[in-house]
Amino acid sequence: MKILVTGGAGYIGSIVSAMLVDAGHSVVAIDDLSTSDASGVPAGVEFIRCDISQVATVLTPDSGFDAVLHFAGLIAAGESVQKPGLYWHVNTGGSLSLLVAMRAAGVRKIVFLVLRRGLRQPDAGADPGIRDGRRADQPVR
């Protein structure tokens, strides 16, 4: 499969991209490098520096992508309070740009990563496997 990985220079995007290449897939990674650098992009991955809002320049009807793995986004909770417009633009607006480009390109498969609450210590005495009344390993329905 030919797969587009957004946020491909980031920690998760680069690891997943390497695994996809190892599995025999053709991988194109895009990243604006605002929170990472291109040295994180693994060998065998085509890298394109691109803001997520401009993804339609890469994900075109004739680009041949079969699927998208969407890892692009800003995740710093403290900064998001200080710069809510930036976070809305990148996370919400960027995701919408991606979905519009996917529809135009006829790509119907997506894996969308959402980091919720980030990595934090659970409350004292709380079961770390329980989140909002359900176990963390149970899918949200």
Side-chain angles (χ1 to χ4, degrees):
M1 290 180 75
K2 184 175 181 182
I3 302 171
L4 177 66
V5 177
T6 70
Y11 180 73
I12 295 170
S14 62
I15 290 171
V16 172
S17 292
M19 294 173 73
L20 290 168
V21 168
D22 289 346
H25 298 287
S26 172
V27 179
V28 177
I30 66 166
D31 200 300
D32 68 0
L33 303 179
S34 63
T35 60
S36 58
D37 62 76
S39 67
V41 178
V45 174
E46 179 184 349
F47 176 71
I48 300 171
R49 186 171 184 170
C50 178
D51 185 279
I52 189 66
S53 66
Q54 301 299 313
V55 68
T57 64
V58 176
L59 184 58
T60 63
D62 61 344
S63 60
F65 287 103
D66 300 298
V68 172
L69 278 68
H70 182 33
F71 304 133
L74 299 175
I75 61 170
E79 183 184 53
S80 72
V81 174
Q82 301 299 318
K83 301 175 181 177
L86 173 64
Y87 276 67
W88 188 94
H89 171 74
V90 172
N91 295 345
T92 304
S95 295
L96 181 58
S97 295
L98 176 62
L99 293 172
V100 168
M102 287 178 66
R103 176 177 276 176
V107 178
R108 299 179 51 96
K109 297 175 184 167
I110 184 171
V111 173
F112 179 45
L113 175 70
V114 177
L115 293 176
R116 199 174 134 253
R117 293 188 186 174
L119 302 174
R120 66 174 184 87
Q121 295 292 350
D123 297 331
D127 179 345
I130 301 293
R131 295 288 186 266
D132 301 327
R134 64 181 176 272
R135 292 212 41 93
D137 58 350
Q138 292 177 329
V140 177
R141 299 192 197 280

